[in-house]
Amino acid sequence: MKRANFLTRNALSITFFLLLAFSIIGQIYTGWKEHNDFLNSYDQPGTSMSAYLTSGHFLQATFENWESEFFQMALFVILTVFMKQEGSSESRPMEDGSGDKEGECEPLKNSPWPVKKGGLALRIYKHSLSIVLTLLFFLSFGLHWYGSFLDYNEQQALEGLPLTTGIAYLGHSKFWFESFQNWQSEFLSIFAIIFLSIYLRQAGSSQSKKVNAPHSETGE
């Protein structure tokens, strides 16, 4: 059988990467315009687009969203190891035990190199998805904090109010409000797909059970 071309084999990731690129370009342009309008309202000169990319306004707006995305994905990957939801396509079957499936760590001809090497490389690789997602969450959390801190101090300075330190800002309600408002939306979306996939279907989707599957069937 002839192998599908590159675009066909990678259509899903390419499509979402292009959507990401389109969205972030739109965010940069509109955020830059909005931030300059804010500066002009205080009779301050606008900033260049390149300078805007290192501003607190851009960093805060970008990474508070990335933070919540990586947080929910990391938690979802980790919790689905130990927890199940009867009838959901997003859960392992109820009869599956937790931990490694029998034989899944045995090296095959085309297995990734950590599986063939074994030892420490395999122990890390077995949890590499949750490790990387967790690291991306902490990186995004740090950049969100830094950007929000810069943005807060910029507004304070424009209004002639006292500035704060980075450490003190970690306990500021503005910073945590930004985090919680994004976290709750991500947890809502995960809850929705877990629960709704019990009763609803989408023919042809890997995120849905088969159309004729009973509601009690768990897993894809």
Side-chain angles (χ1 to χ4, degrees):
M1 181 183 293
K2 184 179 178 181
R3 195 181 187 200
N5 62 40
F6 177 83
L7 291 178
T8 300
R9 288 184 284 115
N10 299 279
L12 195 56
S13 58
I14 290 172
T15 297
F16 274 96
F17 180 80
L18 291 175
L19 288 170
L20 168 64
F22 171 77
S23 299
I24 201 163
I25 289 170
Q27 178 198 334
I28 290 170
Y29 179 73
T30 55
W32 171 59
K33 299 285 285 185
E34 191 270 339
H35 187 56
N36 279 346
D37 287 342
F38 168 76
L39 292 174
N40 292 336
S41 71
Y42 285 91
D43 297 321
Q44 298 295 313
T47 185
S48 67
M49 186 175 288
S50 59
Y52 174 70
L53 293 178
T54 59
S55 70
H57 187 272
F58 173 74
L59 294 175
Q60 173 264 319
T62 302
F63 290 103
E64 73 171 87
N65 285 288
W66 290 26
E67 164 198 315
S68 61
E69 294 290 345
F70 290 126
F71 188 30
Q72 61 100 344
M73 285 191 289
L75 275 181
F76 188 55
V77 168
I78 293 168
L79 292 178
T80 51
V81 175
F82 308 102
M83 300 179 181
K84 301 171 184 177
Q85 173 56 59
E86 183 178 17
S88 176
S89 65
E90 302 301 313
S91 170
R92 290 180 297 108
M94 298 301 294
E95 60 272 15
D96 276 6
S98 61
D100 298 337
K101 295 179 181 177
E102 184 177 355
E104 74 170 332
C105 293
E106 295 297 322
L108 303 174
K109 180 180 179 181
N110 296 321
S111 293
W113 73 264
V115 180
K116 295 178 179 179
K117 185 173 181 61
L120 178 61
L122 176 57
R123 288 199 295 275
I124 294 174
Y125 187 69
K126 284 165 56 177
H127 306 287
S128 56
L129 181 58
S130 59
I131 289 171
V132 170
L133 288 173
T134 301
L135 290 175
L136 288 170
F137 160 68
F138 281 115
L139 176 62
S140 299
F141 183 88
L143 288 169
H144 167 212
W145 158 75
Y146 179 64
S148 187
F149 162 65
L150 292 180
D151 190 53
Y152 176 79
N153 271 351
E154 181 182 45
Q155 294 186 45
Q156 291 290 98
L158 289 171
E159 295 175 7
L161 298 173
L163 306 185
T164 188
T165 65
I167 297 299
Y169 190 69
L170 274 174
H172 200 285
S173 58
K174 179 180 184 295
F175 170 64
W176 287 104
F177 171 72
E178 292 167 354
S179 289
F180 282 123
Q181 71 170 337
N182 282 279
W183 293 0
Q184 57 87 13
S185 66
E186 297 303 330
F187 295 146
L188 172 63
S189 66
I190 290 294
F191 171 76
I193 189 64
I194 289 172
F195 184 77
L196 293 178
S197 68
I198 299 173
Y199 303 104
L200 307 179
R201 308 287 187 269
Q202 176 55 58
S205 175
S206 63
Q207 301 305 299
S208 170
K209 296 184 292 187
K210 294 179 180 179
V211 175
N212 62 355
H215 292 329
S216 61
E217 182 176 307
T218 307
E220 294 180 12

